[in-house]
DNA sequence: ATCCCGAGGG
DNA sequence: CCCTCTGGAT
């Protein structure tokens, strides 16, 4: 006989908050601009790897204006270890230009404005809005959120946009920003892509994978 | 659907 | 060797 459905998004948040009392990004940043650049660089790359290159990057080109005037090849060499270095170099330089010219040198606190920047789509915009300005505009969906949300039965979709909608409809808006950070931590440490450590998962009892077997 | 791309783990 | 890493643009 099938067990009754215990699973509730509320219970997920409760357990995640207990396990991760201070959810935050592992990226190192000192300003909205640094968070934006670090997040663009973190595409398909570990935060550890990004944190190795950003100190040198920010020390050589501290703000949008200076980066907008940088030699693309010099930037490429600095960020090379993060991968996709040609695309990322172009994106952060152009983002610096646009922010310097159109947004008076300040990173916009607006979803549409952020997504007008090269290399910035929903995920990066959500990270910057919440991290830099405390705005819960949506749920940033990356590889970790996608995997953990699917395993938990919070969505059945593969499409990041639909996954975000599914999460936004089930969780309180006040939890959206932290939800991303907590699911990333869960996905990185426990609900890993390869060998998930289900035995030590704080959501073990409410994970559909182990209910109704 | 495909491309961009290096680093680390297994 | 293969898989994965807080994706985005074409």
């Amino acid at each position: 006989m099938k067990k009754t459905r215990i699973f509730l998004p509320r219970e997920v948040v409760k357990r995640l908050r207990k396990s991760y009392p201070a959810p935050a990004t592992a990226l190192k940043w000192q300003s909205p601009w640094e968070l934006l650049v670090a997040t663009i660089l973190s595409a398909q790359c570990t935060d550890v790897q990004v944190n190795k290159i950003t100190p040198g990057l920010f020390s050589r080109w501290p703000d949008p204006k200076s980066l907008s005037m940088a030699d693309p090849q010099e930037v490429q060499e600095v960020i090379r270890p993060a991968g996709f270095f040609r695309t990322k170099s172009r994106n952060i330089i152009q983002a610096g230009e646009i922010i310097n010219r159109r947004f008076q040198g300040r990173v916009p606190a607006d979803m549409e404005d952020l997504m007008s920047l090269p290399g910035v789509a929903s995920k990066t915009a959500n990270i910057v809005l919440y991290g830099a300005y405390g705005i819960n505009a949506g749920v940033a969906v990356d590889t970790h959120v996608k995997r953990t949300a699917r395993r938990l039965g919070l969505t059945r979709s593969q499409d990041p946009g639909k996954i975000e909608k599914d999460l936004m409809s089930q969780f309180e808006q006040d939890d959206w920003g932290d939800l991303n950070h907590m699911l990333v931590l869960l996905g990185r440490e426990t609900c890993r892509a390869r060998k998930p450590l289900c035995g030590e998962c704080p959501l073990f009892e409410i994970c559909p994978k182990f209910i109704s077997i």
Side-chain angles (χ1 to χ4, degrees), chain A residues 109-112 114-115 121-131 134-142 145 160-183:
Chain A
D110 176 85
M111 174 65 73
E112 190 180 344
L114 283 169
M115 289 184 62
S122 179
K123 179 257 176 178
T124 300
N126 275 320
I127 293 297
V128 172
L129 283 174
Y130 184 65
I135 299 172
N136 278 302
V139 182
V141 176
D142 55 50
V145 173
K162 292 178 184 173
I163 294 173
E164 182 177 8
K165 272 192 64 180
D166 287 339
L167 296 177
M168 289 171 72
S169 69
Q170 297 174 77
F171 292 87
E172 300 290 332
Q173 185 169 7
D174 286 347
D175 292 325
W176 290 352
D178 288 338
L179 185 64
N180 164 269
H181 293 310
M182 294 188 294
L183 288 180

Side-chain angles (χ1 to χ4, degrees), chain A residues 141-142 146-147 150 155-163 166:
Chain A
V141 176
D142 55 50
K146 177 178 177 179
R147 183 180 63 255
R150 284 173 56 80
T155 183
R156 303 185 68 173
S157 177
Q158 295 272 10
D159 174 59
K162 292 178 184 173
I163 294 173
D166 287 339

Side-chain angles (χ1 to χ4, degrees), chain A residues 57-78:
Chain A
L57 182 69
F58 297 144
S59 124
R60 217 168 292 189
W61 301 285
D63 49 52
K65 182 174 184 134
S66 59
L67 190 64
S68 72
M69 299 183 295
D71 174 9
Q73 288 202 15
E74 287 183 32
V75 176
Q76 283 181 25
E77 287 167 26
V78 173

Side-chain angles (χ1 to χ4, degrees), chain A residues 9 13 21 39 44 48 52 68 73 86 88 97-98 129 160 169 175 200:
Chain A
V13 170
T39 308
Q44 295 293 293
V48 172
K52 287 180 186 172
S68 72
Q73 288 202 15
R86 280 180 281 266
K88 288 175 179 175
E97 285 177 15
I98 296 170
L129 283 174
S169 69
D175 292 325
E200 56 186 64

Side-chain angles (χ1 to χ4, degrees), chain A residues 196-210:
Chain A
L197 307 176
C198 301
E200 56 186 64
C201 180
L203 306 179
F204 179 81
E205 296 87 350
I206 59 173
C207 184
K209 197 167 178 183
F210 296 93

